[in-house]
């Protein structure tokens, strides 16, 4: 059975994410540490909160996270966990993991923040993470910031909320989604199932 480590670094929707993984037939493991033997098939960085304290908490886990990526195991960042994959954020000080080149910026002042609710996914390119996902599938957001990757080729999907911005990214075995798959109905369930398939390979 596929084993998924959900990293507990003091933020996040651990229980609902764990339940969603279990529903898909995988085994969720919640831990504040990354085992040195990497006895899991995929890693998820959840996230609800502020960039700066998360960046500080992950400082000591940077090396183990990099080892996971180097091992070829899939890594998925969800919401704030996606933003921490980048270098910096306008939300506060601190360095992200820098696994995907780019920064995180605030949504424009003319839209209400946080952006909270349902929006359509606009697929940008084909990818296993988007298998069987409708081009206009609805997903659920709670955020005030979004990523600006340096390389547009990492963008899998976008949405429109005042402006168009990336909401799914992939670079080799590192993936991110700005929305919450565990709260996004059938579309979220499909995306999460696709991630678990990548982990099972």
């Amino acid at each position: 059975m596929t084993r998924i480590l959900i990293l507990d670094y003091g933020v996040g929707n651990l229980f609902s994410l764990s339940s969603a993984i279990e529903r898909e037939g995988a085994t969720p493991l919640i831990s504040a540490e990354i085992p040195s033997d990497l006895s899991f098939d995929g890693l998820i960085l959840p996230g609800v909160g502020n960039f700066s304290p998360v960046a500080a908490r992950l400082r000591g886990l940077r090396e183990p996270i990099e080892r996971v990526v180097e091992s070829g195991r899939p890594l998925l960042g969800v919401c704030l966990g996606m933003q921490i994959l980048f270098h910096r954020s306008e939300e506060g000080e601190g360095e992200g993991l820098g696994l995907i080149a780019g920064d995180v910026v605030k949504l424009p002042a003319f839209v209400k923040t946080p952006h909270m609710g349902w929006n359509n996914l606009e697929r940008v390119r084909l990818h296993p993470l988007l298998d069987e996902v409708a081009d206009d599938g609805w997903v659920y957001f709670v955020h005030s910031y979004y990523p600006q990757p340096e390389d547009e080729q990492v963008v899998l999907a976008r949405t429109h909320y005042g402006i168009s911005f990336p909401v799914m990214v992939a670079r080799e075995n590192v993936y991110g989604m700005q929305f919450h798959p565990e709260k996004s109905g059938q579309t979220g369930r499909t995306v999460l199932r696709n991630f678990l398939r990548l982990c099972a390979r």
Side-chain angles (χ1 to χ4, degrees):
M1 188 176 286
T2 307
R3 292 159 56 89
I4 304 298
L5 180 65
I6 303 173
L7 194 59
D8 180 4
Y9 45 95
V11 299
N13 42 326
L14 303 179
F15 178 75
S16 57
L17 197 49
S18 175
S19 298
I21 289 167
E22 207 163 24
R23 266 198 310 273
E24 299 306 322
T27 302
L29 311 165
I30 297 176
S31 176
E33 304 293 333
I34 297 176
S36 58
D37 62 356
L38 302 183
S39 52
F40 54 89
D41 302 297
L43 175 64
I44 294 182
L45 305 181
V48 176
N50 185 276
F51 186 92
S52 294
V54 169
R57 289 188 188 108
L58 287 180
R59 196 175 296 132
L61 290 167
R62 182 182 296 269
E63 189 175 320
I65 290 172
E66 289 173 350
R67 278 199 298 111
V68 172
V69 174
E70 288 165 6
S71 77
R73 287 167 173 78
L75 181 156
L76 173 64
V78 174
C79 197
L80 181 57
M82 174 193 186
Q83 295 176 8
I84 208 72
L85 299 176
F86 292 85
H87 288 293
R88 290 164 296 275
S89 173
E90 290 182 353
E91 188 175 17
E93 297 180 356
E95 292 291 319
L97 295 169
L99 296 172
I100 300 178
D103 295 330
V104 176
V105 299
K106 189 171 176 57
L107 286 165
F110 60 80
V111 298
K112 181 181 178 181
T113 55
H115 169 209
M116 185 180 298
W118 296 82
N119 279 75
N120 295 85
L121 279 184
E122 301 164 3
R123 292 171 54 148
V124 173
R125 62 185 177 95
L126 297 175
H127 190 276
L129 207 56
L130 284 166
D131 283 353
E132 300 179 28
V133 173
D135 187 39
D136 60 350
W138 290 87
V139 289
Y140 186 79
F141 293 90
V142 182
H143 69 115
S144 298
Y145 296 81
Y146 67 93
Q148 281 189 332
E150 288 182 8
D151 181 5
E152 186 66 23
Q153 291 301 307
V154 305
V155 179
L156 301 184
R158 306 174 72 87
T159 199
H160 192 276
Y161 180 69
I163 58 169
S164 174
F165 57 89
V167 293
M168 288 183 73
V169 294
R171 178 183 170 273
E172 297 176 353
N173 56 319
V174 177
Y175 312 106
M177 52 189 72
Q178 185 60 66
F179 56 91
H180 290 273
E182 77 285 0
K183 297 179 180 178
S184 295
Q186 187 56 49
T187 299
R189 187 169 184 176
T190 302
V191 171
L192 191 57
R193 188 181 300 141
N194 289 338
F195 173 71
L196 295 175
R197 284 178 185 153
L198 291 169
C199 294
R201 289 181 178 176

